[in-house]
Amino acid sequence: MRPQEDYLRDFAVLLTEKGVVSVSDPQQIAVYDFLCGGKKRPSDIAEALKLPSSSLHFVLDKMVDSGIIVRSKPDPAKKEVLYSNLALRIAGSSKPTPEAVAASEEVFKHPDADCKGLASVANMLEAYLMEIGLEHGQLRARYVRDLAASLKDEIGEGPIESVMQGIRDRFNRLTGYRMSVFGLNPPTFVFEGDPGMKPKMDMVIHLVRHMVENATGRTYAVKSVEDFGNEETARFKVTYDRAEPEQEPYINTSLPQMAEPEKFMIMEVDGSVAVLANEIQTQLVDAIYERPLCVTDVVSMVNMPRSTVTTNLLRMVEEGVASVFYAESGALYYGLSCSILMKRVRRVSKDTSATRDAVKAASGDGRFVEGYMVYLLASLQELGFDTDYMMVVLGAKYMRTAGQDGPKNFDSYFGKMSDIASIVGLSLSVVSVYPLTIGISRVDDVPGTAPAMTFAKGMAHQGLEMASSGIFVRVSEETPDDMKVSFKEIYPSLSMNPAASAAAEAEALADPAPAKRRTSSVRDALRNRSAKTDGRPMRTVRYITGIAMVALAAFAIILAAGGTGFDNTADADSYMLSADDGIVLYTVDGTEISSSYELKAGEVLSVSVESAGSVGIVIDGVAYPISEVYQESEGYYAISISQNTVLTEIQLLDSSFEGLEVGIYDFGKTVTDEYAYNFQGYYGTSDYEELAGGLWVTADAMVVLTASEGEYIALPDVANVYLQTVVMPAIGGADASAAVLPSAYATVDLGNAAFEIDGYYVAGSVKVAKYHVIEMDFVSTDGPVVFTIDQDGRSSYTIDMKKSTNRTLSLSVYQDVALSYAHIVVQ
C-alpha cells in the first residue's frame, strides 16, 4: 500500500452483524452506495459503476464475507442472483466545503450567540464535524427517531387534525424554535428560529415527521423544503406527503461478533477527516500521543523492528500525522501533529442504557440541541468507540480561536476558559501552582456534564501550551462531580524552528517547492509534505489535539533546499547497504564493497555500480532504477538510507498480456502463489509505470492477470479450463492473452477450498468445458478432509481425502458444481 493510502480521506464506517468495520476501498463504497437504492443484479452494478465483471465479483464476494451485503436468489430455478445491503452506514467522510469552514469559524468565535449551556458545546461539535467532513447522518436520524418515540405517549394518537396542536406545542418547547401549521392536506409546516437552526434542519424535519407518523399511524416522506430565511432568521417551509414504509436492513446484533474487534482511528489530518486502519501506525500513534519520543523509545514501547518503526514514522511525517522535534543536542524526536477524534477499541455493546438516558434527558424543554451531543457520544460509545478524544479536540480548538485576541499570557487565557466554563455550567479554579493543577467542578446539578468537563480539560491543556510555548503532559483525577488536572512540562528545549540564520536563508531561496521524491529520510518526508499541491496552505503543527502552534514553513523550506544548519538526522541508527550477486559497488577511492556496508542514518556514501544489467531498488512494491532514487554525479551515486537496503538487478517487463487487465507488485522476496493470489496491493500498469519511470521489475515481481466479462485467460498447456484470474511471476511466466469464452462450459464453485490447476493457483470458482474431467490439486491444508460435491442444488456425494500423499481431486464436469470441504478426525 502506498504511503498516501494509509490515511484515507474517503471511507465509511458500517455496522454489520459481525460488528463495526471501516471500509476504505472506493469500489466497495461505490457498491454500497449504489445498493442503497435496493436490490440489484451484478450486471446492473457493473454497468452503473463501470467495473469489469471479473473485478466486480471479487469485490462482491469480499463484501458478502464481511457481512456488508447479502446475496439472494429470488427464484431457485434460475441462476439469477441479487445483492442488497446488510449493513448500516453510521459514519463516513464527505468533502469539506468553504461554507462549512466559515460557519464553524463563526460558531467558535461566538459559541453562546444562539444558545447557552451545554447546547453551545453541542453547536461547536456539530460545526466542527461539518467543517472537517465527518458525515454521521445515520446517527442524527436515529436520535430524532428515538426522541420522537419517547414523546409518543405524551402526544397521543388520532387523526392529524386532532394531534397537530400537541405536536406543535411539544416541538416548540423541546427545541426552542417556532413551528406553525401552513396546511394539513398535504401536511405543510413552517419552521422559524435563530441562524443556528439551519444546520440542524435535517433533524428538525425528520423529528416532526416521526412525531406525526407515531401519532397518526401513517407513513410520510419529505416532498419539498423551501428556504425563506435571511442572515438574522432561519425560516423553512416543509411539505410532507404519504409514502410507503422504507425498511432498513435488519442487523442481528445478537450474533457472535468478531473475536477481536477491528481497531482503527478516525482523525483530522490537514483540515479533513481521515481513517487510519494501518495496525503498525495506530500503535505508533498511541506511543507518541502523550509526548514526543525518539526512535529508540518508540521501538521499546511497541516492540517492533527498528527499520519498521523508522519507515512508518517517516510516512507519518510526510502525511502530516507526525512532526519532527529537535533537542538542543540535535537529537530527533517524533510527536503527534494530527487530531485523534475517536478510536474503535471495543465490541458493540448490547447495553443501550446510555442512549436511553440521553433520550430521556433530551426530552426536557429546551434540551434538543444538547441532547444531540449527548446521544451522539453515547451511541458511538455503544458502538465500541472511545470518544473522549473528540471532546478534548473540541476544547483545544475553542481555546485556539478564543486566544487569537487579547494578551498572550496564561492569566488572559484562564479568564477566557472560565467564561466558557461558566456558560456550560462548570467552574474552574487553580488548585496549585507547581505542578500547575486546575480544578474543574459542576456549578449546578446538571446531568450530562461529563462531555463538558472533558471539553474543559482539552481547553486548559491548549491554553497552557499557548501561553508557555512548551509541551506538557496531563494527569487527571476525576470524580462524578469534579476533576483535577495537573500539568507537567516536558522537553522544554524541543523545537521545530531552524537555526538562527533560518530566516535569512529562507528568504534567499528562490523556489521553495521542489519536486516530490520518495520518502527515505526525514528531509525527504518534510520535502514531500511541503510539495503537496492540494491548494491548502502549509500546515502548522498541532501537538496532540491541535496544540503548540509552531510554524513549520521556514524549516521545511530549508530542508527541501538541502540546508544543513544542524544535523537533521541526528540519531544513532545505522543500517546495512548490500547488493545481490553480480552487482559490485566501488567507493570514490576505488575500494570494492564485496558484502554489506554499514551506514548511519543521514550518512551519505558515494559509490559507482558495475553490473551486467540494470540496477535498482524495491520500495513499496515498485522497482525503481537506482537513478530514480539517488542523485548521480560523474558516475557516482550519493546513497543515504533509513532502513536496510538491497540493490538488485531489474529489467523491463517484456510481456504485453494482450487484452488482459494487468496488476504488478514487486515483493522483493519470494512469496507463495496463495499469498500473491490474495494480495490486494497490486498497481495498475499505468500507475506503476508512472511511479518507476517504466515497467521495471525484479525476479521477485508478480503479475495478476484478469479477464474481462465473456473472456478467459488463454495459457499454453491449459486446455478446457477457462481461468478468469491468474497470478504468475513477472519474469519467466507463461505467455497469456485474452480469448472469447466458449458457450459450452460449466462453473465449479470451489467454496472455501483452494486448488492448483495445471500449475496455477485457483480459488473462488473456475469455468470448465462441459464433459471435461478436471484434475485439481488440493492446497488449502495438508490434513485429512472430506469434500461435499453438490449438483443441481442437492448434495450428491462426498469424497474422503484422508491421506496427505494424494491430494488430487478429479471431477467429471457436465453441469454447474459446488464443492466444499471440512476437516475430519482419523481414528
Side-chain angles (χ1 to χ4, degrees):
M1 182 173 285
R2 287 167 282 182
Q4 62 268 28
E5 293 175 345
D6 288 333
Y7 310 94
L8 287 163
R9 273 70 168 178
D10 187 12
F11 69 92
V13 179
L14 305 176
L15 173 61
T16 74
E17 293 184 340
K18 298 181 180 181
V20 174
V21 298
S22 65
V23 178
S24 53
D25 181 348
Q27 291 182 339
Q28 292 193 36
I29 294 175
V31 169
Y32 178 86
D33 290 342
F34 182 66
L35 291 181
C36 287
K39 294 183 178 181
K40 304 292 181 183
R41 297 175 301 175
S43 57
D44 297 331
I45 303 173
E47 180 180 358
L49 304 182
K50 309 300 182 186
L51 290 175
S53 178
S54 54
S55 300
L56 175 63
H57 281 291
F58 180 82
V59 173
L60 294 175
D61 289 344
K62 191 172 182 180
M63 295 177 72
V64 170
D65 292 340
S66 301
I68 298 173
I69 62 176
V70 62
R71 183 189 295 115
S72 59
K73 200 169 185 180
D75 187 350
K78 297 182 180 180
K79 294 183 179 180
E80 182 183 53
V81 296
L82 298 175
Y83 290 89
S84 57
N85 283 335
L86 189 61
L88 286 176
R89 181 181 180 127
I90 58 176
S93 58
S94 60
K95 188 175 181 180
T97 64
E99 293 78 13
V101 174
S104 177
E105 183 179 355
E106 188 64 26
V107 169
F108 276 87
K109 284 182 178 179
H110 309 287
D112 58 341
D114 299 326
C115 49
K116 305 293 182 183
L118 285 178
S120 61
V121 179
N123 264 350
M124 286 189 278
L125 176 62
E126 179 184 55
Y128 174 63
L129 297 183
M130 290 183 177
E131 174 190 350
I132 64 175
L134 180 55
E135 187 275 328
H136 56 289
Q138 181 66 32
L139 295 179
R140 292 165 70 93
R142 286 172 58 179
Y143 167 55
V144 295
R145 182 192 63 200
D146 291 350
L147 182 56
S150 71
L151 304 173
K152 182 176 179 179
D153 293 339
E154 179 182 346
I155 294 172
E157 298 180 356
I160 192 170
E161 295 84 0
S162 63
V163 298
M164 204 60 243
Q165 181 70 32
I167 292 175
R168 185 192 65 182
D169 293 345
R170 192 64 183 90
F171 172 85
N172 292 345
R173 296 200 314 272
L174 176 71
T175 64
Y177 307 137
R178 295 177 300 280
M179 170 187 170
S180 56
V181 179
F182 188 85
L184 292 178
N185 190 19
T188 304
F189 312 125
V190 176
F191 301 96
E192 293 182 88
D194 54 60
M197 185 184 78
K198 188 170 184 178
K200 301 173 183 61
M201 278 306 297
D202 61 318
M203 294 193 293
V204 167
I205 290 171
H206 293 291
L207 171 64
V208 173
R209 177 174 68 85
H210 287 304
M211 293 170 74
V212 172
E213 289 178 341
N214 292 338
T216 63
R218 296 180 174 182
T219 303
Y220 290 89
V222 179
K223 183 178 181 180
S224 65
V225 178
E226 300 174 76
D227 185 354
F228 296 102
N230 51 44
E231 293 183 358
E232 298 179 355
T233 304
R235 184 181 293 107
F236 292 85
K237 187 172 91 170
V238 181
T239 302
Y240 302 85
D241 206 351
R242 293 287 303 275
E244 293 296 324
E246 292 184 5
Q247 192 169 11
E248 288 185 345
Y250 171 67
I251 308 297
N252 187 358
T253 55
S254 65
L255 294 176
Q257 298 179 38
M258 292 178 287
E260 283 294 328
E262 180 187 356
K263 295 183 179 180
F264 55 89
M265 296 180 179
I266 295 177
M267 55 178 60
E268 178 206 339
V269 182
D270 286 328
S272 62
V273 69
V275 64
L276 172 58
N278 181 310
E279 184 177 354
I280 293 175
Q281 294 183 21
T282 53
Q283 293 184 56
L284 296 181
V285 168
D286 284 336
I288 63 175
Y289 174 73
E290 287 290 348
R291 65 186 72 191
L293 297 174
C294 65
V295 172
T296 301
D297 290 340
V298 177
V299 169
S300 177
M301 289 186 67
V302 301
N303 194 26
M304 295 180 188
R306 194 180 193 90
S307 59
T308 300
V309 170
T310 302
T311 299
N312 282 277
L313 284 173
L314 290 176
R315 290 181 180 179
M316 292 163 65
V317 170
E318 180 180 4
E319 289 302 315
V321 173
S323 289
V324 288
F325 294 80
Y326 290 86
E328 291 178 350
S329 64
L332 180 149
Y333 292 78
Y334 291 91
L336 204 62
S337 64
C338 65
S339 298
I340 301 176
L341 302 179
M342 50 186 169
K343 292 166 58 177
R344 175 88 199 295
V345 294
R346 298 178 298 276
R347 298 182 184 180
V348 177
S349 174
K350 296 181 176 63
D351 181 9
T352 60
S353 58
T355 49
R356 290 199 305 269
D357 291 344
V359 170
K360 184 178 179 181
S363 61
D365 290 353
R367 305 290 295 277
F368 174 70
V369 176
E370 66 185 63
Y372 150 73
M373 177 184 71
V374 177
Y375 183 94
L376 173 63
L377 297 177
S379 295
L380 290 170
Q381 289 164 7
E382 289 178 1
L383 291 169
F385 290 96
D386 183 348
T387 59
D388 279 355
Y389 297 91
M390 190 182 301
M391 299 311 297
V392 172
V393 169
L394 204 65
K397 180 175 175 61
Y398 168 75
M399 196 64 241
R400 288 197 303 275
T401 303
Q404 292 176 359
D405 301 324
K408 311 300 181 186
N409 57 60
F410 185 73
D411 288 342
S412 173
Y413 294 150
F414 189 77
K416 296 177 184 295
M417 296 180 213
S418 299
D419 291 342
I420 189 66
S422 64
I423 292 175
V424 299
L426 300 177
S427 174
L428 303 185
S429 61
V430 177
V431 178
S432 67
V433 176
Y434 188 81
L436 178 62
T437 303
I438 296 177
I440 307 171
S441 58
R442 295 194 302 183
V443 176
D444 301 313
D445 187 20
V446 179
T449 54
M453 297 179 79
T454 309
F455 170 89
K457 181 169 64 174
M459 181 174 59
H461 196 163
Q462 174 72 93
L464 179 60
E465 294 198 348
M466 289 169 60
S468 66
S469 298
I471 297 176
F472 291 77
V473 292
R474 61 177 179 263
V475 179
S476 301
E477 298 177 6
E478 303 181 32
T479 69
D481 296 317
D482 60 58
M483 174 190 301
K484 293 182 176 63
V485 187
S486 299
F487 298 93
K488 179 182 178 182
E489 187 173 17
I490 59 172
Y491 308 130
S493 60
L494 286 187
S495 175
M496 292 188 62
N497 293 317
S501 60
E505 290 188 47
E507 290 177 1
L509 294 174
D511 185 4
K516 184 171 179 178
R517 298 174 60 85
R518 299 294 302 182
T519 303
S520 57
S521 68
V522 172
R523 177 182 298 177
D524 286 341
L526 290 169
R527 177 191 292 114
N528 288 348
R529 186 194 298 190
S530 68
K532 292 183 183 299
T533 57
D534 58 359
R536 292 195 179 94
M538 192 173 296
R539 70 193 315 277
T540 51
V541 175
R542 297 164 299 162
Y543 174 68
I544 299 181
T545 57
I547 303 176
M549 304 288 286
V550 184
L552 176 63
F555 181 65
I557 291 171
I558 289 176
L559 286 180
T564 54
F566 51 89
D567 180 10
N568 66 353
T569 54
D571 197 300
D573 297 345
S574 60
Y575 306 99
M576 302 306 296
L577 173 68
S578 58
D580 285 345
D581 293 341
I583 301 175
V584 183
L585 308 180
Y586 294 95
T587 62
V588 175
D589 59 7
T591 302
E592 178 181 338
I593 300 176
S594 56
S595 56
S596 297
Y597 189 92
E598 183 176 352
L599 272 175
K600 291 184 178 180
E603 180 182 355
V604 178
L605 175 68
S606 294
V607 298
S608 62
V609 181
E610 288 189 3
S611 173
S614 300
V615 176
I617 179 175
V618 176
I619 303 173
D620 292 337
V622 178
Y624 294 85
I626 187 172
S627 58
E628 290 286 323
V629 182
Y630 303 116
Q631 292 185 350
E632 184 268 339
S633 177
E634 298 181 355
Y636 287 88
Y637 295 94
I639 296 181
S640 176
I641 59 178
S642 59
Q643 59 184 346
N644 294 335
T645 301
V646 179
L647 299 181
T648 185
E649 289 191 355
I650 62 174
Q651 67 183 65
L652 288 170
L653 183 66
D654 58 1
S655 299
S656 63
F657 305 115
E658 183 178 355
L660 299 173
E661 181 182 337
V662 183
I664 309 174
Y665 196 90
D666 205 313
F667 291 93
K669 60 181 179 181
T670 303
V671 296
T672 64
D673 288 345
E674 177 182 3
Y675 180 83
Y677 187 94
N678 292 285
F679 184 68
Q680 297 298 303
Y682 287 95
Y683 297 89
T685 51
S686 58
D687 291 339
Y688 191 100
E689 187 171 18
E690 182 179 355
L691 287 169
L695 296 180
W696 295 99
V697 292
T698 72
D700 294 315
M702 303 290 285
V703 293
V704 57
L705 309 178
T706 306
S708 300
E709 185 175 5
E711 297 181 335
Y712 72 98
I713 302 172
L715 296 159
D717 303 324
V718 178
N720 298 314
V721 176
Y722 311 123
L723 300 177
Q724 306 298 120
T725 301
V726 165
V727 167
M728 66 173 67
I731 298 176
D735 292 332
S737 59
V740 177
L741 192 65
S743 57
Y745 70 84
T747 300
V748 179
D749 185 346
L750 303 179
N752 56 345
F755 295 87
E756 278 191 3
I757 301 176
D758 293 325
Y760 294 99
Y761 182 92
V762 179
S765 65
V766 61
K767 294 179 172 60
V768 183
K770 285 189 176 181
Y771 308 106
H772 174 65
V773 178
I774 182 174
E775 293 192 346
M776 308 183 295
D777 294 326
F778 179 59
V779 295
S780 291
T781 176
D782 292 332
V785 297
V786 58
F787 283 97
T788 301
I789 314 297
D790 292 339
Q791 300 183 45
D792 291 334
R794 57 186 178 82
S795 179
S796 56
Y797 60 94
T798 60
I799 299 176
D800 286 352
M801 191 177 284
K802 297 183 179 180
K803 297 181 180 180
S804 59
T805 53
N806 180 16
R807 312 295 290 175
T808 301
L809 187 67
S810 296
L811 289 177
S812 179
V813 180
Y814 58 90
Q815 62 183 359
D816 289 349
V817 177
L819 60 85
S820 60
Y821 78 91
H823 294 273
I824 58 175
V825 178
V826 180
Q827 303 295 334

